Amino acid sequence: MRVAVVCASQYGATRGIAERIGAELALAGLDARVYDAASPPHAEDVAGFDAFVVGSAVYMGHWLKDASTFVRRHQPTLLEHQIWLFSSGPLGTETTDADGADIRESTVPAEITEFTNTVRPVGHRVFFGAIDPEALSLPHRMIRKFPGAAEKIPAGDFRDWTEIEAWAREIARSLVKAG
Ligand SMILES: Cc1cc2nc3c(=O)[nH]c(=O)nc-3n(C[C@H](O)[C@H](O)[C@H](O)COP(=O)(O)O)c2cc1C
């Protein structure tokens, strides 16, 4: 069974998550390939995959354009296949905000409502991400300089590999069962 893991990543954190998901799917015996959403499978090859996992880093509440473009461009094909979505966004060690709300729920990016309707994903997950302030572009460094922003965008790697691998194994089990 062929699975395309397509990701959009500005600084590599999301790419790392996509690669770990791809590795777990491969361990389960699936033919998984990881693509950057900027250079996804050729349009004519997309329908040749049995399933998709599509993810993006989140900036200012939105997926990166390349990931959204991939989903919108291939919507009819994706709707006919099993697809899982993930977002790599929040930073820090707190899992609830000041109001006690789950941060993974309050940071769901804007596009997910649309994609839930257009490609009917089996699921969508928000994973904690990572940021190295030294690697940031000038505009992103400037955003972190706004009062209170550095606390909301703390430096560090907060990716939970146990959670990511468990989700990938869930996907693998579902596909192996279906296939
Ligand atoms: C300027 C800036 C804005 C961000 N905005 C958000 C946001 O709105 N929501 C969110 O969940 N994460 C936000 N993040 C965190 C990133 O999405 C997270 O660090 C992600 O893992 C980065 O992935 P990448 O290395 O693949 O680009 C922001 C980070 C920066 C530097």
Side-chain angles (χ1 to χ4, degrees):
M1 191 174 266
R2 297 181 67 216
V3 188
V5 182
V6 180
C7 69
S9 177
Q10 180 124 14
Y11 302 108
T14 311
R15 173 87 198 186
I17 294 173
E19 279 169 4
R20 192 66 69 95
I21 291 169
E24 281 297 326
L25 298 180
L27 272 176
L30 297 159
D31 179 5
R33 284 197 58 184
V34 180
Y35 295 88
D36 192 314
S39 29
H42 291 298
E44 62 272 21
D45 296 334
V46 169
F49 287 92
D50 300 292
F52 297 85
V53 180
V54 183
S56 176
V58 182
Y59 289 93
M60 316 313 284
H62 290 275
W63 266 24
L64 291 170
K65 197 163 175 284
D66 287 331
S68 298
T69 300
F70 176 80
V71 175
R72 292 186 184 125
R73 182 168 293 158
H74 298 291
Q75 182 271 333
T77 309
L78 298 178
L79 181 61
E80 286 173 2
H81 292 75
Q82 292 209 79
I83 176 168
W84 285 260
L85 306 177
F86 72 92
S87 304
S88 127
L91 299 164
T93 50
E94 299 296 328
T95 54
T96 51
D97 65 18
D99 304 322
D102 188 328
I103 287 175
R104 292 183 200 81
E105 283 168 25
S106 55
T107 57
V108 170
E111 290 74 16
I112 299 307
T113 306
E114 172 195 334
F115 297 156
T116 298
N117 291 321
T118 57
V119 297
R120 307 230 169 92
V122 180
H124 165 254
R125 277 292 179 95
V126 169
F127 293 119
F128 276 75
I131 216 82
D132 170 6
E134 300 296 312
L136 294 180
S137 65
L138 192 57
H140 281 171
R141 280 178 197 222
M142 302 296 279
I143 289 170
R144 273 189 99 241
K145 285 208 167 79
F146 279 110
E151 289 80 62
K152 282 196 181 142
I153 312 171
D157 188 344
F158 306 98
R159 290 172 293 180
D160 182 338
W161 297 114
T162 308
E163 188 185 27
I164 292 161
E165 286 169 6
W167 189 62
R169 281 197 296 272
E170 236 176 75
I171 294 173
R173 268 196 301 277
S174 158
L175 288 174
V176 168
K177 209 162 89 184

